């Protein structure tokens, strides 16, 4: 089985699950819809194109740095009032994760994973970590390793530990969140995209299993 590993690290990232305009929240780890959106941007895939090949990939996350939950307070003018009156000021609070770092793995067909690896290195459209202003702080993938011939769990366990230079975290357990069969899962998440079309966005559920474990390497990647 083949696995593609993606590095999601940067000053700010946000992975919304349920949001209204006034409050834009963030999941505490990357959502499947958010990361598939990143893959679609890299591929140059239009919003009305099928997603079946990407949603069929088994996804896992390893949380190396959970980051700090923070909020932006923003204002925007609603200039398109139906009555032509004075624009309203709309307020919103937008949550994000500061200084977080995650490994995301996708397990599946090696040919597709190599295509995704090439797209992540040569994106058609801009790449961002959940919001357009939240840019990756490091390359998303290793340019010399398209995919790893290991199951998802083992590939995540053997990835280098992401940490700041001043941190000493060797031997500290990390959290794993892995797509699982329904009977094995510990949580249901409504973040599998069926369509990204603007007026027809649709999602379905997946089952995930969360656990804590060690990292099976002493290799470090400073972020």
């Amino acid at each position: 089985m083949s696995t593609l590993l993606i590095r999601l690290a940067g000053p700010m990232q946000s992975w919304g699950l349920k949001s209204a305009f006034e409050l834009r929240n963030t999941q505490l780890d990357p959502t499947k819809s958010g990361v598939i959106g990143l893959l679609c941007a890299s591929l140059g895939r239009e919003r009305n194109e099928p997603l079946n090949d990407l949603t069929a990939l088994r996804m896992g996350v390893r949380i190396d740095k959970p980051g700090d939950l923070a909020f932006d307070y923003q204002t925007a003018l609603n200039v398109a009032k139906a009555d032509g009156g004075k624009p309203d000021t709309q307020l919103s609070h937008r949550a994000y994760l500061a200084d977080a770092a995650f490994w995301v793995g996708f397990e599946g067909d090696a040919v597709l994973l190599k295509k995704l690896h090439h797209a992540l290195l040569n994106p058609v459209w801009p790449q961002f970590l959940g919001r357009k202003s939240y840019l990756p702080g490091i390359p998303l993938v290793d340019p010399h390793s398209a995919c790893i011939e290991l199951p998802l769990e083992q590939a995540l366990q053997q990835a280098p530990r992401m940490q700041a230079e001043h941190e000493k975290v060797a031997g500290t357990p990390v959290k794993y969140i892995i797509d699982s069969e329904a009977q094995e899962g510990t949580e249901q998440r409504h973040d599998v995209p069926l369509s990204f079309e603007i007026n027809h966005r649709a999602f379905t559920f997946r089952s995930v299993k969360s656990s804590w474990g060690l990292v099976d390497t002493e290799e470090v990647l400073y972020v």
Side-chain angles (χ1 to χ4, degrees):
M1 190 61 69
S2 300
T3 299
L4 171 67
L5 292 178
I6 304 172
R7 308 178 284 211
L8 302 181
M12 305 167 78
Q13 45 188 303
S14 183
W15 306 101
L17 198 57
K18 294 180 180 179
S19 297
F21 183 82
E22 294 80 9
L23 178 61
R24 300 292 181 90
N25 67 3
T26 179
Q27 183 83 12
L28 299 181
D29 51 86
T31 59
K32 193 163 189 175
S33 58
V35 184
I36 286 179
L38 174 62
L39 295 177
C40 287
S42 301
L43 291 165
R45 188 172 292 192
E46 300 286 349
R47 286 182 175 271
N48 61 350
E49 292 187 61
L51 301 170
N52 310 57
D53 57 338
L54 302 179
T55 58
L57 296 171
R58 187 163 170 253
M59 175 175 154
V61 174
R62 193 182 90 190
I63 303 176
D64 281 18
K65 296 178 64 181
D68 297 313
L69 182 63
F71 288 86
D72 271 344
Y73 177 72
Q74 299 185 10
T75 61
L77 289 179
N78 178 16
V79 296
K81 294 192 69 176
D83 60 4
K86 185 177 180 180
D88 291 330
T89 300
Q90 295 181 317
L91 311 178
S92 67
H93 293 79
R94 303 191 177 201
Y96 64 91
L97 301 173
D99 196 30
F102 308 98
W103 281 103
V104 173
F106 283 101
E107 179 189 85
D109 176 66
V111 174
L112 174 58
L113 296 180
K114 289 176 181 177
K115 179 180 178 181
L116 295 175
H117 179 265
H118 181 267
L120 289 166
L121 289 173
N122 305 276
V124 176
W125 297 328
Q127 299 167 320
F128 47 87
L129 305 182
R131 293 197 185 121
K132 290 183 179 179
S133 57
Y134 297 172
L135 304 181
I138 60 174
L140 293 170
V141 289
D142 181 349
H144 306 296
S145 177
C147 55
I148 301 169
E149 296 305 315
L150 287 173
L152 178 60
E153 290 85 351
Q154 287 182 253
L156 286 171
Q157 289 168 0
Q158 295 183 16
R161 185 71 179 251
M162 288 193 282
Q163 64 182 67
E165 290 192 35
H166 65 275
E167 291 180 313
K168 296 181 179 180
V169 294
T172 304
V174 294
K175 189 174 184 179
Y176 294 86
I177 304 164
I178 311 255
D179 281 0
S180 303
E181 297 295 333
Q183 64 271 22
E184 299 175 353
T186 57
E187 181 184 351
Q188 292 286 313
R189 294 194 174 184
H190 192 247
D191 67 348
V192 180
L194 301 176
S195 170
F196 282 138
E197 289 191 71
I198 295 296
N199 296 319
H200 300 91
R201 291 169 63 89
F203 302 87
T204 189
F205 288 92
R206 66 180 171 126
S207 180
V208 301
K209 182 178 181 179
S210 300
S211 62
W212 289 83
L214 298 176
V215 175
D216 293 343
T217 178
E218 295 182 0
E219 187 178 354
V220 173
L221 176 63
Y222 292 115
V223 296

